[in-house]
């Protein structure tokens, strides 16, 4: 089965897409990565999405329009793929993650899947998070389904291992031999850095020119979210652009603020990953060498790899993960990992928008294979 995975993350800058062909060989799920890239949002849509995020306030008419416009841009991105696929799994765009008293009450992803089905003729799985929330979970993170199979070889060798994604928000999946898989959001990765730099320091040059303000760092680390026990999740409803505005008015230069925010991300990620032997990292934050150096310093002797080393390009790893969730939906297999989200149990995730073509099937797969292995296009 060939599945097109699609999503836009908390950076709200474009649509990551990846076509993945899945096949089963014994206890190995083989994944053959096909066409993959990022399609930028139009400037107008991105500006309107960012303006709609908290603390922005918009009416239902604007919500409806954003839902349609996002769906149309997802549809255009899917239609631009030259490789054939049998199914689309679209995460859409998260615009709000409702957290109250430490519990997730709801989550909203926009980007109507009917536009994708109409443009491609292919059925579309969407709304991947709400079944987990309804079962008492956080609805996030969902990438551990992929992570636990990618990290299985390290765990089989007796090595505690973790996967790290550095998007707008940083999240980790930790696999320790003999223990349940755990995963959670650690806090901001690029979200506060982008807000402080106006999106102009993706390579970390300004941060590299600054000095960490230790007093400010200590103040930032008092954010209550960091003290919560996993499972936990967050987003730009907490780490808003306004979150850093209060610090821009202080006697701190922009380079020093960026250096301090970089240290904040490195510290909160490092604190989450104490005791693991190997970290497999992915996400846009890897393009910021200043952040990567700070993270490596926090991790010390821990081996730091990128997911590219395992055959999964870091920039589209989450798109690959959502392709896997689409495969899970039609196979009738659970897409959540309850120990990671806090749900009462495993759930098949998503709902299906039919296309003109029939829904593909996965016969005779009663449970998940033990590991996932990327294979070359030649097989």
């Amino acid at each position: 089965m060939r599945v097109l995975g699609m999503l836009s993350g908390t950076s709200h800058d474009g649509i990551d897409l990846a076509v993945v062909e899945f096949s089963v060989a014994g206890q190995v799920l083989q994944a053959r990565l096909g066409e993959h890239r990022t399609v930028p949002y139009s400037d107008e849509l991105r500006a309107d999405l960012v303006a709609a995020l908290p603390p922005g306030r918009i009416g239902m008419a604007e919500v409806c329009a954003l839902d349609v416009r996002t769906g149309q841009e997802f549809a255009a991105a899917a239609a631009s793929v030259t490789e054939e696929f049998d199914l689309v799994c679209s995460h859409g765009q998260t615009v709000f993650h409702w957290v109250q008293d430490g519990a997730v009450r709801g989550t909203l992803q926009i980007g109507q899947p009917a536009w994708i089905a109409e443009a491609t003729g292919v059925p579309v799985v969407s709304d991947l998070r709400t079944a987990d929330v309804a079962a008492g979970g956080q609805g996030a993170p969902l990438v551990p389904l992929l992570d636990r199979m990618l990290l299985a070889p390290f765990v089989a060798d007796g090595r505690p291992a973790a996967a790290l994604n550095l998007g707008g928000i940083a999240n980790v999946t930790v696999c320790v031999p003999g223990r349940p898989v755990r995963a959670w959001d650690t806090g901001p990765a690029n979200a506060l850095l982008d807000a402080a730099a106006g999106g102009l320091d993706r390579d970390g040059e300004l941060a590299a020119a600054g000095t960490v303000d230790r007093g400010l760092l200590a103040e930032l680390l008092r954010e209550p979210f960091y003290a919560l026990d996993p499972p936990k999740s967050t987003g730009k409803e907490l780490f808003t652009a306004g979150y850093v505005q209060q610090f821009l008015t202080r006697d701190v230069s922009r380079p020093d603020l960026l250096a301090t925010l970089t240290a904040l991300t490195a510290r909160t990620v490092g604190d989450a990953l104490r005791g693991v032997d190997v970290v497999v990292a992915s996400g846009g934050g890897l393009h910021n060498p200043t952040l990567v150096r700070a993270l490596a310093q926090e991790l010390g002797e821990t081996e730091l790899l990128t997911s590219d080393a395992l055959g999964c390009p870091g920039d589209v790893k989450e798109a690959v993960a959502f392709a896997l969730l689409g495969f899970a939906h039609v196979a009738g297999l659970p897409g959540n990992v309850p120990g990671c989200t806090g749900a009462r149990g495993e759930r098949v995730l998503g709902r299906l928008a039919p296309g003109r073509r029939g829904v593909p099937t996965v016969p005779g797969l009663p449970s998940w294979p033990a590991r996932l292995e990327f294979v070359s296009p030649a097989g």
Side-chain angles (χ1 to χ4, degrees):
M1 182 190 305
R2 289 167 295 185
V3 186
L4 171 61
M6 307 181 73
L7 85 153
S8 181
T10 49
S11 294
H12 303 88
D13 50 4
I15 302 163
D16 296 336
L17 57 85
V19 177
V20 187
E21 181 181 346
F22 295 105
S23 57
V24 179
Q27 281 300 301
V28 178
L29 180 63
Q30 294 182 331
R32 184 173 287 106
L33 182 62
E35 188 173 342
H36 58 280
R37 53 195 165 88
T38 298
V39 178
Y41 275 144
S42 66
D43 292 341
E44 296 81 3
L45 178 59
R46 184 173 193 274
D48 289 345
L49 284 169
V50 171
L53 297 175
R57 299 179 67 86
I58 62 173
M60 293 305 297
E62 289 82 6
V63 172
C64 180
L66 283 175
D67 192 21
V68 170
R69 291 166 59 198
T70 303
Q72 290 172 334
E73 294 210 7
F74 267 73
S80 74
V81 174
T82 59
E83 189 172 350
E84 289 192 4
F85 46 88
D86 308 303
L87 180 75
V88 176
C89 184
S90 173
H91 170 266
Q93 177 69 69
T94 297
V95 290
F96 195 73
H97 200 58
W98 178 18
V99 182
Q100 184 176 322
D101 300 326
V104 174
R105 308 297 185 185
T107 184
L108 180 61
Q109 287 75 44
I110 62 172
Q112 273 294 324
W115 292 99
I116 306 172
E118 182 64 26
T120 63
V122 172
V124 182
V125 178
S126 64
D127 193 19
L128 280 303
R129 298 190 185 273
T130 53
D132 185 84
V133 173
Q138 298 271 325
L142 297 183
V143 177
L145 178 67
L146 172 64
D147 288 340
R148 70 179 180 184
M149 288 194 281
L150 277 180
L151 297 176
F154 299 108
V155 177
D157 288 341
R159 303 181 69 189
L164 164 66
N165 180 65
L166 294 169
I169 300 297
N171 53 73
V172 297
T173 302
V174 178
C175 298
V176 178
R179 298 182 186 177
V181 179
R182 302 175 73 216
W184 63 97
D185 290 345
T186 64
N190 301 319
L192 297 186
L193 290 168
D194 285 350
L200 300 177
D201 194 36
R202 292 293 179 92
D203 58 3
E205 287 188 5
L206 281 174
T211 301
V212 175
D213 185 318
R214 297 296 170 183
L216 177 56
L217 177 60
E219 183 177 343
L220 288 165
L221 286 168
R222 287 196 288 270
E223 163 59 49
F225 176 79
Y226 304 130
L228 296 175
D229 292 328
K232 59 181 179 178
S233 57
T234 189
K236 285 189 173 178
E237 65 283 343
L238 173 59
F239 296 108
T240 66
Y243 194 96
V244 297
Q245 290 302 315
Q246 56 188 310
F247 305 116
L248 293 175
T249 60
R250 298 188 181 188
D251 186 21
V252 55
S253 69
R254 193 175 296 266
D256 287 355
L257 176 59
L258 290 166
T260 305
L261 292 173
T262 300
L264 173 70
T265 292
R267 173 74 61 82
T268 50
V269 169
D271 286 346
L273 297 179
R274 305 295 177 206
V276 301
D277 286 354
V278 58
V279 173
V280 179
S282 61
L286 292 180
H287 296 293
N288 181 334
T290 305
L291 176 57
V292 173
R293 284 195 299 270
L295 180 61
Q297 184 173 0
E298 284 286 341
L299 293 175
E301 297 300 316
T302 300
E303 183 179 4
L304 179 61
L305 305 173
T306 68
S307 63
D308 298 63
L310 303 184
C312 184
D315 285 344
V316 294
K317 182 191 165 199
E318 288 193 304
V320 171
F322 280 93
L324 181 62
L325 287 166
F327 176 86
H329 179 91
V330 297
L333 294 172
N336 64 334
V337 181
C340 300
T341 67
R344 287 184 289 273
E346 295 181 329
R347 299 291 186 268
V348 176
L349 304 182
R351 57 189 173 92
L352 191 72
R356 295 184 296 277
R357 289 160 54 179
V359 179
T361 59
V362 183
L365 189 61
S367 61
W368 280 110
R371 69 181 193 274
L372 181 142
E373 188 176 277
F374 283 88
V375 296
S376 67

